[in-house]
C-alpha cells in the first residue's frame, strides 16, 4: 500500500500485526532500486507482514513523526511497536535476519 497521509500510515501500522514502513524520496535512486527487492522479500519470506510505502516529499510530517534522518529507511513494527530500523545502507539479508525471529514467534511459523 502506498500511503498519502500520515494518518493512513498510522492506521495501517495499528491495524496490522506486522508492518514494514518503507520511506523514500522521489530523487533517491537507491530507494527505487531497493523497493522491489523489499516487496519480494516480504512476499516470499514474510507474507503476513503489511508493506506501507511512503514518500517524504509527499508527506513531510512522517520525517518528524518517525524521526527519519536518511533514505531509504525501513521501520518494522510488530503489534504497533517498532522493532527494527534500517536506514541508508543495509543489506536485504541483514533486514531479513532482523525480522525473522519476532515474525516467527508472532505467527507461529
Amino acid at each position: 500500500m502506498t500511503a498519502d497521509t500520515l494518518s493512513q500510515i498510522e492506521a495501517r501500522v495499528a491495524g496490522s500485526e506486522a508492518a514494514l514502513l518503507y520511506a523514500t524520496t522521489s530523487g533517491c535512486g537507491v530507494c527505487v532500486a531497493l523497493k522491489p527487492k523489499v516487496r519480494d522479500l516480504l512476499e516470499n519470506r514474510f507474507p503476513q507482514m503489511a508493506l506501507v510505502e511512503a514518500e517524504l516529499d509527499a508527506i513531510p510530517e512522517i520525517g518528524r513523526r518517525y524521526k527519519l534522518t536518511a533514505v531509504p529507511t525501513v521501520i518494522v513494527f510488530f503489534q504497533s511497536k517498532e522493532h527494527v530500523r534500517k536506514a541508508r545502507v543495509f543489506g536485504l539479508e541483514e533486514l531479513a535476519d532482523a525480522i525473522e525471529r519476532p515474525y516467527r514467534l508472532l505467527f507461529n511459523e
Side-chain angles (χ1 to χ4, degrees):
M1 164 202 167
T2 301
D4 296 318
T5 65
L6 178 60
S7 61
Q8 284 179 336
I9 295 168
E10 291 173 338
R12 182 69 172 196
V13 168
S16 303
E17 287 291 305
L20 183 145
L21 172 62
Y22 187 78
T24 66
T25 59
S26 59
C28 174
V30 172
C31 302
V32 171
L34 193 58
K35 188 184 297 186
K37 295 174 183 177
V38 170
R39 272 193 206 128
D40 288 345
L41 176 69
L42 295 188
E43 287 173 11
N44 295 322
R45 292 183 59 183
F46 310 109
Q48 297 186 62
M49 183 171 283
L51 174 61
V52 183
E53 299 173 26
E55 248 189 52
L56 278 114
D57 303 331
I59 317 168
E61 60 268 26
I62 66 171
R64 290 183 298 277
R65 168 65 176 89
Y66 294 105
K67 298 174 179 75
L68 304 179
T69 58
V71 289
T73 296
V74 170
I75 305 174
V76 177
F77 300 89
F78 290 102
Q79 298 175 327
S80 300
K81 293 179 179 69
E82 181 178 328
H83 280 263
V84 177
R85 179 182 289 249
K86 301 286 181 188
R88 194 175 300 199
V89 179
F90 58 90
L92 287 176
E93 276 307 309
E94 173 188 355
L95 177 60
D97 289 346
I99 295 171
E100 188 82 32
R101 186 170 186 274
Y103 181 90
R104 299 291 174 224
L105 289 171
L106 181 62
F107 294 107
N108 295 315
E109 291 185 9

